[in-house]
């Protein structure tokens, strides 16, 4: 007797299944936290549409500001392998409430479209459009048609930062390089980039990856779900060190970079390699790396009350506020 159970076509274990009938089942990152006042931090959040053509939204965060002076802005790209999670994910919502409060900054968290419904480069295009939307607030006449008051009235546009974790850190890299390549108008002055547990990969093993075959096979499989590329894991979008990848000197549009890695993360050695390549390039900015011992990928989001998570948030706040 034939089974009525739908057959799996693609599986990105342990987060997503695609069935042969086209149905997509996400096994994580589907919960949505409401916006509004967060009683723990005093931060207020709201969702707005920022790219009407595609329906892309952003979740904005505004702390109870302790100054009347303009404050830094962080444009944040969430992680999730390009195929799960959102700005409304309770883990990210909680994390960014804490970051906004600790750093006393405005945060724009971009809700980019996910694969496989929207294969790459859709996520990159959405985040690029979001950055252009932020930049449009710097134009007095001819800028955004309906300026966002939280940005227009409170942001110091000389202190705009880009940050992201995992897939979001990957996106941050490409967005920065694209500024250099396209020289958009208006052009933001990017004060810095925070690359948190960046999701880069490649066909050949780096460092300790070969010693963790189970997780390596898992990560190897993810890219084929989100990007239809004949280059596989050596596509320039996922491997920034192959031919055709954006030149690292393009990072010169920002003044400084912070790379954060976690000791037990299988992506750790890629993060170190990224730091080393940037440090040896001629981009001209300052780059530093911090490794958190004894923890795994995006630990600060999954276990926000741990002392190490609190330390990481304080480090991010310091990076943004250092003149």
């Amino acid at each position: 007797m034939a089974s009525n159970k739908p057959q799996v076509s693609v599986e990105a274990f342990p987060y997503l299944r695609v069935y042969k009938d086209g149905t997509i089942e996400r096994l994580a990152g589907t919960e949505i936290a409401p916006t509004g006042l967060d009683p723990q931090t005093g931060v207020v959040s709201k969702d707005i549409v920022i790219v009407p053509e595609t329906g892309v939204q952003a979740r904005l965060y505004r702390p109870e500001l302790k100054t009347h002076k303009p404050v830094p802005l962080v444009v944040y790209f969430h992680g999730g392998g390009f195929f799960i999670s959102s700005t409304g994910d309770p883990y990210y919502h909680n994390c960014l409430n804490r970051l906004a409060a600790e750093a006393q900054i405005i945060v724009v968290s971009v809700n980019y479209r996910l694969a496989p419904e929207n294969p790459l480069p859709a996520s990159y295009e959405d985040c690029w459009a979001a950055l252009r939307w932020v930049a449009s607030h710097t134009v007095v006449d001819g800028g955004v048609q309906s300026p966002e008051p939280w940005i227009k009235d409170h942001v110091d546009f000389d202190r705009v930062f880009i940050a992201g974790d995992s897939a979001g850190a990957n996106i941050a890299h490409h967005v920065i390089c694209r500024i250099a390549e396209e020289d958009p108008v208006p052009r933001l002055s990017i004060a810095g980039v925070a690359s948190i547990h960046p999701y880069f990969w490649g066909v050949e093993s780096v460092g300790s990856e070969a010693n963790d075959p189970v997780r390596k096979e898992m990560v190897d499989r993810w890219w084929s779900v989100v990007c239809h590329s004949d280059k596989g894991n050596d596509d320039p979008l996922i491997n920034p060190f192959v031919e055709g990848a954006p030149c690292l000197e393009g990072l010169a549009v920002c003044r400084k970079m912070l790379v954060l890695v976690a000791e037990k993360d299988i992506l750790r050695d890629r993060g170190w390699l990224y730091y080393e390549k940037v440090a040896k390039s001629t981009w001209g900015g300052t780059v530093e790396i911090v490794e958190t011992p004894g923890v795994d990928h995006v630990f600060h989001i999954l276990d926000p009350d741990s002392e190490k998570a609190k330390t990481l948030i304080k480090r991010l706040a310091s990076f943004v506020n250092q003149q």
Side-chain angles (χ1 to χ4, degrees), residues 122-159:
S123 300
Y124 298 100
E125 294 298 329
D126 291 347
C127 292
W128 175 250
L131 192 64
R132 295 291 303 274
W133 175 80
V134 170
S136 68
H137 286 77
T138 65
V139 180
V140 177
D141 296 313
V144 64
Q145 291 183 350
S146 301
E148 167 52 48
W150 288 9
I151 296 177
K152 181 176 179 291
D153 298 340
H154 298 292
V155 167
D156 178 351
F157 287 102
D158 287 327
R159 293 191 290 164

Side-chain angles (χ1 to χ4, degrees), residues 58 166 252 257:
S166 195
M257 176 182 289

Side-chain angles (χ1 to χ4, degrees), residues 265-292:
D265 186 1
I266 192 166
L267 302 180
R268 167 192 176 274
D269 291 329
R270 296 278 171 178
W272 270 100
L273 180 60
Y274 181 62
Y275 160 75
E276 290 164 0
K277 294 282 190 179
V278 172
K280 292 177 181 177
S281 73
T282 59
W283 77 298
T286 60
V287 57
E288 58 181 315
I289 188 168
V290 176
E291 178 173 326
T292 305

Side-chain angles (χ1 to χ4, degrees), residues 289-303:
I289 188 168
V290 176
E291 178 173 326
T292 305
V295 290
D296 211 328
H297 194 63
V298 297
F299 71 93
H300 62 295
I301 293 172
L302 301 176
D303 187 16

Side-chain angles (χ1 to χ4, degrees), residues 8 11 35 38 42 56 82 93 113 153 216 225 278-279 299 311:
V8 175
E11 184 161 15
T35 57
D38 177 49
V56 172
F82 298 99
H93 184 65
R113 290 171 293 171
D153 298 340
K216 183 182 184 305
V225 177
V278 172
F299 71 93
T311 298

